[in-house]
Structures are given as structure tokens and as C-alpha cells.
Amino acid sequence: MSRWNELTKGIIKENPIFFIMLGLCPTLAVSTKVIYGIGMGIAATFVLIGSNIFISLIRNFIPDKIRIPCYIVVIATFVTIVDYILNAYVQPLHKALGIYIPLIVVNCIILGRAEAYAGQNTVLNSILDAIGMGIGFTLAITLIALIREILGSGTITLQMLGYGWVWEVPVKPMTIMVLPPGALLTIGILMGIINHFKQKEK
Amino acid sequence: MEHYLLIIISAALINNFVLSQFLGLCPFIGVSKKMDSAMGMGMALIFVLTLSSIIVYLLDTYLLVRLHLEFLRTTTFILVIAALVQLVEMIIQKVSPGLYHALGIYLPLITTNCAVLGVALLNVSEMNNLLESAMNGFGAGLGFVIALLIMSGIRERMEFSRIPESFKGAPIAFIVAGILSLIFLCFKGFAV
């Protein structure tokens, strides 16, 4: 039962974006199309799982004083792997995400989980934690992308490398939503709504 | 000369790093509550961004590219930036305690600011000489300061306004940032 909790806590209760507010820069920047949101989510989840496994394996050898630089090196290695894999096999996605792939390194979610969780827990629990947090991050970024794409270009894009579909939604597009201001307005309003429900619960 | 001026203006206003590329958004929301702390953070950031642009450029051109180690870019850059921030902190503490107290807590925070790594990576992919990189770093820092000062001014005034309970704090800050970003979009010329 507690293992199940490790997995599910990241999805809603401790959702990294809406409740802890970590990792906002990539979330806002790449959420112009649904598929980009999903791609970014999967890339970050991969890095999160890899670095959590590795850090929890070597947690007993790392001297306490230099643990943050050690964590960063591990994370940067996995980010480089993702960067090269995407460049080799999913080039359009690599092009669309651009500079935000190497920037996963400074995504506070990953360093935050390494510091707060993987550095103290067993490998299995760390993997579950990483998967949960990764799903939470992916869902949040996809939700924002869905809102922005529907309102901004009137489509839902689930297409990559010629597979998948593009749906047309009967909405008159407001270009502003796919431009930078739209992202900030969307997340501001979403957070306000979430706060409203949280306060109601109390 | 004109060329370099254009790089600064482009980095500071037209492609403002916070408001149009979302780099450094966390400190932007985090430290924009008071004007003094916004100023301190901004100054520290201009300094580190300019310096790190220069060092990263030298390192990339004379070490990584020459030895064909481009795949180590991300790892090297983040470590160099972390070390640089630490070093700058120690030097300032020795040389100018006054400045150290002014910048104080904001320096360590800069390591995790994605603007620093972002500018380093953009420089490598777009700029082709040392001065251009340095100017781009300086312009990015300047743009951050401009955005941060405007934002903190607005947020100081907003303390007295009536905001719905659930929108207090971060949500309204994001919405204000959205409107600011809309204004900065005008520098680009609105092509719909």
C-alpha cells in the first residue's frame, strides 16, 4: 500500500507544477502544441527516472558536502543522453523543443527530487517516486498545452513523424494564446482556480 | 559598434529572456515582491551573465570544439557556472564587503537560474565571436533587470488593491507577467 502511495503522490497531491511550482520555464515555453507537451514530459520523466535510480544507488558514497555538484553531473549526463537520442530518432521534436532540452538540467523538479527523495531512499522507492512525479509533470504540461492549443490555433495535434492525428476544434483561434503571454495567463488562471478549490476544502 | 548595440537591445527588449522566452521565471516570480531585493538580484545577474558568457565562450572554442567534445557541453557549462558563481561570491566577499552585503543571498540563487545556462547555450549556437557573446549576456541581464523592476513596482502597488482571495500571491503575479509580456510583444511588432 505504501509503495502505491509513493507512485501516486506525484500525480495529484504533490503535483510538481501546480502544487509545488517547480519546473515552470519549460512548461510554459514548449506548451504550444499538445504533442510538444507530451514529448517534453516524456523526456523529463526519462531523466528523472535515470537520475533517481543512479543517485539512490550511489547515495552512500557521495560526501555530504559536495552532493549537489554530484547530483548535477548525474542529471546532466542523462540530459545529454536524451538530447542525443531525440536528435537521432525524433528530429522534429528535437527542433521544436530546442534549447529547452539541455535546460532540463536546471529544471528544479529533477534536482529537487534527487535532493529530497533519491538521496535518502531505496532504489525501488526512488523509481516509483520518479515515475509518479514524471506522470504528474507530463499531465500538467499536457493540460496547459491542450488549453493553449485549442484556444490559440483551434486544433489538437497528436502527430509526430507522420503517425497520429490532428483534430480540428470548432473554435475561432486567438493567436495570443500560443504566444508567450498566453502561457502566463493560462497558468495564472489555472493556479487561481486550483487555489479556490483548495480553500473551499479547508 | 551599431551591430553590438543591436545585440544588446535585441536581447534586452525584443527577445526579453523572462517575458518572451521564460528563462529565469522562478526568480522572477520569487524575488519580485520588493524593489530593493529585485535590484540586488538584477545587478548580481548582470554581472554573472556577462562573466559566464565570456568564460563559456572561451572554454567552448578553445577546449570543447578543439578536442571534439561537444557532447559534454551541457555538463561542462553547468559545472563551470556553478563554480563561477561560487568564485565570484568569494572574490566579492574579500574585495568589496559592501557589495557582498548588497548582493549577499542572491548570488548562490543564480546557479539554478535557467537564464544563465540558457544564455550560455544560445551563445554557443548563435553567436560567433567573444564580444558578441559578452554583449548578448549583458543584454540578457539588462532585460531581466528591466522586467524585474517593472514587475516589483507593480507588485508593491498591488499590496493595496483588492484581489480575489484565491488569486493572491503567485496566480496574480503570473497574470500581471502575462500582461507585461503582451506589452513587450510590441517591440517585436505584432504579426498575426
Side-chain angles (χ1 to χ4, degrees):
Chain A
M1 195 58 211
S2 73
R3 289 258 154 84
W4 183 243
N5 274 340
E6 298 299 336
L7 184 66
T8 52
K9 69 170 191 275
I11 299 176
I12 294 174
K13 209 171 72 202
E14 291 179 26
N15 188 300
I17 291 181
F18 292 129
F19 289 91
I20 325 186
M21 277 174 58
L22 292 175
L24 288 168
C25 321
T27 315
L28 297 182
V30 305
S31 58
T32 49
K33 279 189 180 165
V34 175
I35 188 75
Y36 298 161
I38 297 174
M40 186 70 194
I42 292 172
T45 309
F46 176 82
V47 175
L48 197 55
I49 294 174
S51 64
N52 255 15
I53 292 175
F54 217 79
I55 286 165
S56 115
L57 276 175
I58 58 173
R59 68 182 190 278
N60 295 328
F61 307 112
I62 300 179
D64 205 38
K65 269 194 180 152
I66 54 158
R67 64 180 193 286
I68 301 285
C70 293
Y71 294 166
I72 289 180
V73 174
V74 172
I75 294 168
T77 311
F78 279 101
V79 169
T80 311
I81 295 172
V82 167
D83 195 7
Y84 275 73
I85 291 178
L86 285 184
N87 199 3
Y89 296 105
V90 204
Q91 203 139 49
L93 188 66
H94 185 262
K95 218 170 185 178
L97 301 186
I99 186 185
Y100 296 98
I101 300 174
L103 280 178
I104 297 177
V105 178
V106 275
N107 191 327
C108 329
I109 296 174
I110 294 166
L111 191 61
R113 288 330 286 174
E115 167 74 6
Y117 200 90
Q120 281 122 38
N121 286 286
T122 58
V123 179
L124 187 63
N125 279 348
S126 302
I127 296 175
L128 292 175
D129 176 73
I131 295 175
M133 284 289 162
I135 295 175
F137 177 69
T138 311
L139 284 181
I141 195 171
T142 311
L143 175 67
I144 295 172
L146 194 68
I147 296 174
R148 282 182 72 192
E149 204 193 341
I150 290 178
L151 294 178
S153 21
T155 51
I156 302 174
T157 312
L158 278 172
Q159 189 178 41
M160 188 51 61
L161 294 172
Y163 300 103
W165 315 265
V166 179
W167 282 292
E168 299 271 334
V169 184
V171 174
K172 197 158 176 263
M174 299 182 277
T175 317
I176 199 71
M177 291 306 285
V178 285
L179 292 171
L184 291 163
L185 293 176
T186 311
I187 193 151
I189 291 169
L190 271 178
M191 271 180 177
I193 294 171
I194 289 171
N195 271 353
H196 177 74
F197 283 112
K198 256 201 295 196
Q199 281 160 1
K200 235 183 190 176
E201 255 174 44
K202 272 175 199 167
Chain B
M1 192 59 219
E2 253 175 59
H3 175 60
Y4 296 114
L5 210 59
L6 211 62
I7 290 181
I8 295 183
I9 292 177
S10 154
L13 295 177
I14 301 168
N15 283 319
N16 188 292
F17 274 78
V18 192
L19 294 173
S20 73
Q21 308 198 34
F22 307 114
L23 298 175
L25 200 66
C26 314
F28 181 67
I29 301 291
V31 296
S32 60
K33 276 194 192 125
K34 286 242 164 61
M35 267 215 163
D36 332 337
S37 50
M39 202 64 200
M41 179 76 184
M43 288 303 141
L45 194 70
I46 290 190
F47 188 61
V48 172
L49 266 175
T50 317
L51 205 61
S52 74
S53 297
I54 296 171
I55 290 182
V56 161
Y57 176 82
L58 293 175
L59 199 76
D60 188 66
T61 330
Y62 294 107
L63 200 69
L64 294 185
V65 173
R66 203 159 277 187
L67 297 177
H68 303 291
L69 290 174
E70 284 96 342
F71 65 91
L72 281 179
R73 267 181 185 153
T74 315
T75 321
T76 325
F77 289 0
I78 186 77
L79 281 181
V80 168
I81 289 167
L84 180 75
V85 171
Q86 199 81 51
L87 193 72
V88 167
E89 198 183 342
M90 288 194 298
I91 292 174
I92 291 181
Q93 194 177 11
K94 277 268 181 255
V95 177
S96 150
L99 186 64
Y100 179 74
H101 273 285
L103 302 184
I105 47 169
Y106 301 109
L107 273 171
L109 279 179
I110 290 176
T111 315
T112 49
N113 187 332
C114 37
V116 184
L117 185 64
V119 170
L121 289 164
L122 280 178
N123 277 343
V124 168
S125 62
E126 282 171 12
M127 301 292 155
N128 25 35
N129 73 38
L130 179 61
L131 203 54
E132 280 177 2
S133 304
M135 289 301 139
N136 196 28
F138 178 74
L142 198 66
F144 189 83
V145 174
I146 294 172
L148 200 58
L149 281 182
I150 298 175
M151 185 74 179
S152 58
I154 296 175
R155 282 185 81 174
E156 270 185 6
R157 283 294 294 270
M158 234 161 41
E159 298 266 303
F160 307 107
S161 40
R162 279 173 45 209
I163 300 162
E165 193 59 38
S166 50
F167 274 85
K168 271 186 185 152
I172 195 74
F174 276 111
I175 292 172
V176 170
I179 296 169
L180 269 183
S181 161
L182 202 60
I183 297 166
F184 269 74
L185 211 60
C186 298
F187 288 116
K188 244 182 213 170
F190 209 129
V192 180

